[in-house]
Amino acid sequence: MIDLHSHVLPGIDDGAATIEESLGIARAAVADGIAVLAATPHVREDYPITAATMERLLGDVQAAVAAAGIPLRVVGGGELSLEMVAGLPFEEVRRFGLAGNPGYVLVETPYRGWPLEIEQRLFELRTNGIVPVLAHPERNGEVQAHPERLERLVAAGTLVQVTAASLDGRLGRRARTCGLDLIGRGFAHLLASDAHTATVREIGMSAAAAAVGDRELADWLTVGVPGAILRGEPVPPRPQGRPRGLLGRLRQR
Ligand SMILES: [Fe+2]
C-alpha cells in the first residue's frame, strides 16, 4: 500500500518529535504493509515551515530509514492550511507537492465550520495546474451533516483523502459513517494514515482497507490512486463497488 499522509518528519509539528520516533513510524508502516510513505508536515500558522526545511528533514529521515535497513520509501509533501494556500507563492506550494509530485498538494480541511473560501482556494490551485487533495473532510462536522457539500469540489477535480482511523472507528462513529459514506458516493479517492507517532493514530491502513469490505475498491483507494499520484500517471477509474454494509451503517446514524 501507498500512504500519502503522515507526520513522520521529526521535531517540526505535532508528529514525530525525534528521529527515533520517525523510525518507529517507518517500522509500523512496513509492518502494516506500506511500501511508500509520504511525509506531509503541517504547513500552517502555528507550524510555518518552509519547503527547504521539509526537504532537509526528508533527507535526514530517508538516510536514517536506509541506515536502519527499513524497507520503506519515504517521499515528500506537506499538509497546507487554506491560509497557506492563499499566502504562499505557487512555486513554494509546488515544492510541497504530494509524494514529490508538483502537480498535487494535500490541503488540510478545517476541523470546524465550512469556510466559503474553500471552493475559491481549491479553484485557484486547479487553475495554476495543481490538483488539491483534501485531507480527511469526514472529520468535519459540516461534512458529516452535509456530505453532498463535496460534490461540486469533486466534480471540479479535487481529490479527497479519508483517514484510516476514521474507518475503523478510532475517531468516532460519525467520522466512520461519514468516511464510508464519502467512499460509497464516489467522493473519496484515497486512504491514508495521517500517522503522528507509531502509536497515536497508528498506521491502521490494512484495518481500514478491510473496513471498506470491497477488495477492488480498497485496492483503488490504497494502491491505485496514491500510486498514480506518486508516478505522475492519470488517476485510474473508480471500480464500481461500494463499502460492504454501508446501508446498514448509515441507518444506525
Ligand atoms: Fe495530518
Side-chain angles (χ1 to χ4, degrees):
M1 292 182 289
I2 296 166
D3 180 1
L4 294 188
H5 186 166
S6 80
H7 297 268
V8 69
L9 298 188
I12 47 167
D13 65 4
D14 55 350
T18 63
I19 194 77
E20 287 73 26
E21 289 189 12
S22 302
L23 292 176
I25 291 175
R27 288 193 184 92
V30 169
D32 198 40
I34 288 162
V36 183
L37 179 70
T40 54
H42 287 295
V43 182
R44 62 186 193 198
E45 282 183 355
D46 49 346
Y47 302 113
I49 76 155
T50 63
T53 300
M54 180 276 290
E55 289 159 357
R56 176 175 55 80
L57 290 168
L58 175 64
D60 292 349
V61 169
Q62 288 168 332
V65 164
I70 302 167
L72 180 71
R73 181 176 166 204
V74 185
V75 294
E79 182 179 15
L80 277 65
S81 67
L82 288 173
E83 292 74 20
M84 286 295 184
V85 168
L88 290 179
F90 284 109
E91 279 318 304
E92 179 83 352
V93 172
R94 282 192 186 87
R95 283 176 72 182
F96 285 111
L98 188 56
N101 184 338
Y104 292 85
V105 69
L106 187 66
V107 178
E108 182 170 44
T109 304
Y111 291 93
R112 287 191 201 84
W114 189 252
L116 291 174
E117 63 168 332
I118 286 185
E119 285 198 35
Q120 181 62 29
R121 296 283 170 253
L122 300 187
F123 178 74
E124 286 166 6
L125 286 172
R126 290 286 288 153
T127 55
N128 281 275
I130 302 171
V131 176
V133 178
L134 196 58
H136 49 62
E138 80 285 357
R139 301 181 61 189
N140 175 287
E142 293 289 318
V143 175
Q144 291 169 354
H146 304 285
E148 68 279 5
R149 287 202 171 176
L150 293 185
E151 186 165 11
R152 281 212 324 226
L153 291 178
V154 169
T158 291
L159 300 184
V160 169
Q161 175 255 308
V162 165
T163 291
S166 295
L167 291 194
D168 66 17
R170 278 180 286 156
L171 294 173
R173 187 170 55 86
R174 288 197 171 139
R176 184 183 64 178
T177 304
C178 184
L180 290 168
D181 187 18
L182 296 184
I183 293 169
R185 290 174 188 248
F187 292 173
H189 308 84
L190 58 158
L191 296 182
S193 71
D194 195 9
H196 282 63
T197 74
T199 51
V200 177
R201 198 161 317 139
E202 62 203 8
I203 303 291
M205 285 277 282
S206 54
V212 171
D214 181 287
R215 177 68 188 267
E216 199 184 354
L217 184 55
D219 281 352
W220 183 74
L221 292 161
T222 57
V223 181
V225 177
I229 294 172
L230 177 72
R231 293 187 297 272
E233 296 171 355
V235 171
R238 182 188 183 281
Q240 289 301 310
R242 291 173 62 84
R244 196 191 312 137
L246 174 64
L247 288 176
R249 286 181 181 125
L250 289 178
R251 283 194 201 102
Q252 293 168 15
R253 203 159 24 177

